[in-house]
Amino acid sequence: MARLPRIDFPGALYHVLSRGNHSQKIFRTPADYAQYCQLVAQYQARYRFHLYAYVLMPTHVHLLVETGRTPLAKIVQGLHQSYTLYFNRRYDLRGHLFQGRYKALLCQKDAYLLELVRYLHLNPVRAGLVRTPEAYRWSSHRIYLTGHSQGGVAIEPVLPRFGRSRPRAVEEYRRFIQAGRPQGHRSDLYQVTDQRILGDEEFVTAVARKVQQAGPPRPVQVSLSEVAAAVSQATGIPQDLLLATGRGRAAAQARALVAHLAREVADIPLTATAQYLRRDQATLSLGVRKLQERQAEDLELQALARHLAVTLQRGRRVKYKITNV
């Protein structure tokens, strides 16, 4: 069955699960776990989403995220591209670290927030890595026990549900976690509707109505010449060189960036971009694929593409400058 598109709107709560490619380990040393936690805090500060819980396992990660204005895809893809870049550099590797498309279940907050926080924090116990959740360093459980939000993790509004005073709330939260230990694997937390939604019938109907009212995302009205001008200004490659017949590497990568942005931002088909750039469509398609692969390993190129996409979407002038695309 074909995968359905993400459901995305501000205030949506997601249980995100992402595994290592071919079930490989994505964390080899404590430094790896620490780096991922640091990146999580950085991305939370940048995009202002609510991270209610996380657990980092040797081969996969769980995140419980409530989005704000920034779509979930931008958060998770940016986070995992940055971590992949770190991991590949540290271990002299290339290629993908995470397995394909991450899983994101849209969850009914009132019904499942507490249960998901508990389920995530008990994951290391169920896996036999530790005897108690407190003993596992790489989850947000111990942050809850401090009674203070930190490291990008927002313990509000979870902890106040357990008591008015903070000491009482922490103690009741601890008991709540312990009470879930005999439950084991919770298959009910993965029994979703339409492959994507965890919630009752009323919630599913409300989400469907919200998606229908919003309609499909509309591409930004931007021309190919505007995309090319933005790429030219950011890379320092003259716009006439993008349309020239030369085969220089820098110009070829810039053309691939034009094609990538035209499709992602304005939904302009590759055939139209190839015609505009006076290039063979198959060659340009290969260039776009190589560009996307390179973004997983090149943090500066990743930041450039992200900046240009936002700039074009908002109709602003380019400020980000790079000279070694």
Side-chain angles (χ1 to χ4, degrees):
M1 183 180 294
R3 292 179 297 191
L4 297 172
R6 305 279 191 207
I7 299 173
D8 209 329
F9 55 86
L13 177 69
Y14 299 94
H15 174 193
V16 177
L17 170 61
S18 189
R19 298 186 180 278
N21 200 22
H22 302 299
S23 299
Q24 68 174 303
K25 283 189 175 182
I26 55 178
F27 305 107
R28 297 184 180 182
T29 68
D32 298 339
Y33 289 99
Q35 177 67 21
Y36 190 94
C37 290
Q38 182 179 340
L39 288 171
V40 165
Q42 291 175 1
Y43 273 82
Q44 193 282 326
R46 178 185 303 174
Y47 293 128
R48 300 297 178 183
F49 57 88
H50 293 292
L51 176 64
Y52 293 122
Y54 71 82
V55 59
L56 312 184
M57 304 292 283
T59 61
H60 62 281
V61 301
H62 291 267
L63 307 171
L64 191 57
V65 176
E66 180 181 323
T67 56
R69 297 180 61 183
T70 304
L72 179 70
K74 187 171 184 178
I75 295 168
V76 177
Q77 290 172 6
L79 170 63
H80 286 177
Q81 284 176 349
S82 296
Y83 181 73
T84 298
L85 175 63
Y86 153 83
F87 191 89
N88 285 352
R89 282 180 175 174
R90 179 177 175 86
Y91 297 107
D92 193 23
L93 299 172
R94 296 181 63 84
H96 299 287
L97 175 62
F98 292 93
Q99 177 182 302
R101 195 188 196 203
Y102 61 88
K103 180 183 291 185
L105 306 181
L106 175 63
C107 305
Q108 185 175 355
K109 184 176 178 180
D110 291 343
Y112 290 100
L113 178 60
L114 297 185
E115 291 298 330
L116 286 166
V117 168
R118 176 162 66 180
Y119 188 72
L120 265 62
H121 287 163
L122 284 173
N123 206 347
V125 178
R126 289 193 303 273
L129 299 179
V130 290
R131 292 187 176 182
T132 66
E134 292 87 352
Y136 196 70
R137 181 179 177 185
W138 308 112
S139 84
S140 50
H141 176 62
R142 296 202 290 188
I143 294 177
Y144 274 83
L145 297 181
T146 69
H148 303 286
S149 297
Q150 54 185 289
V153 178
I155 65 174
E156 312 289 349
V158 176
L159 214 51
R161 299 189 183 195
F162 293 96
R164 293 185 177 180
S165 73
R166 192 45 50 105
R168 174 66 182 273
V170 170
E171 183 56 32
E172 290 301 318
Y173 161 81
R174 188 197 302 269
R175 293 177 181 176
F176 173 73
I177 297 296
Q178 292 299 326
R181 292 187 62 177
Q183 295 177 349
H185 175 70
R186 294 280 304 275
S187 60
D188 59 304
L189 297 180
Y190 294 92
Q191 293 174 356
V192 295
T193 301
D194 197 22
Q195 304 180 54
R196 302 171 292 178
I197 307 172
L198 176 64
D200 59 27
E201 185 176 349
E202 183 178 352
F203 176 71
V204 173
T205 301
V207 169
R209 187 181 303 116
K210 183 178 296 229
V211 172
Q212 185 177 18
Q213 290 173 349
R218 297 180 179 179
V220 176
Q221 298 299 312
V222 61
S223 67
L224 277 167
S225 61
E226 290 173 311
V227 177
V231 171
S232 174
Q233 183 180 348
T235 61
I237 296 175
Q239 195 167 349
D240 58 354
L241 187 58
L242 296 177
L243 306 178
T245 58
R247 297 186 178 183
R249 183 184 177 202
Q253 291 178 348
R255 293 185 196 104
L257 185 56
V258 171
H260 166 74
L261 291 168
R263 184 170 56 189
E264 293 297 315
V265 175
D267 200 24
I268 298 174
L270 190 66
T271 51
T273 308
Q275 184 177 3
Y276 173 80
L277 294 173
R278 305 169 189 172
R279 284 298 182 280
D280 175 70
Q281 182 178 338
T283 302
L284 188 60
S285 177
L286 178 61
V288 172
R289 186 162 64 250
K290 289 182 177 179
L291 177 80
Q292 292 171 340
E293 292 174 353
R294 185 182 166 196
Q295 284 189 57
E297 302 177 354
D298 189 330
L299 189 59
E300 191 172 15
L301 178 60
Q302 178 192 134
L304 170 64
R306 188 182 304 124
H307 170 78
L308 285 172
V310 172
T311 298
L312 290 165
Q313 287 167 349
R314 296 179 179 177
R316 296 178 179 176
R317 295 187 63 185
V318 176
K319 295 181 180 179
Y320 191 102
K321 190 75 173 178
I322 186 172
T323 58
N324 61 340
V325 173

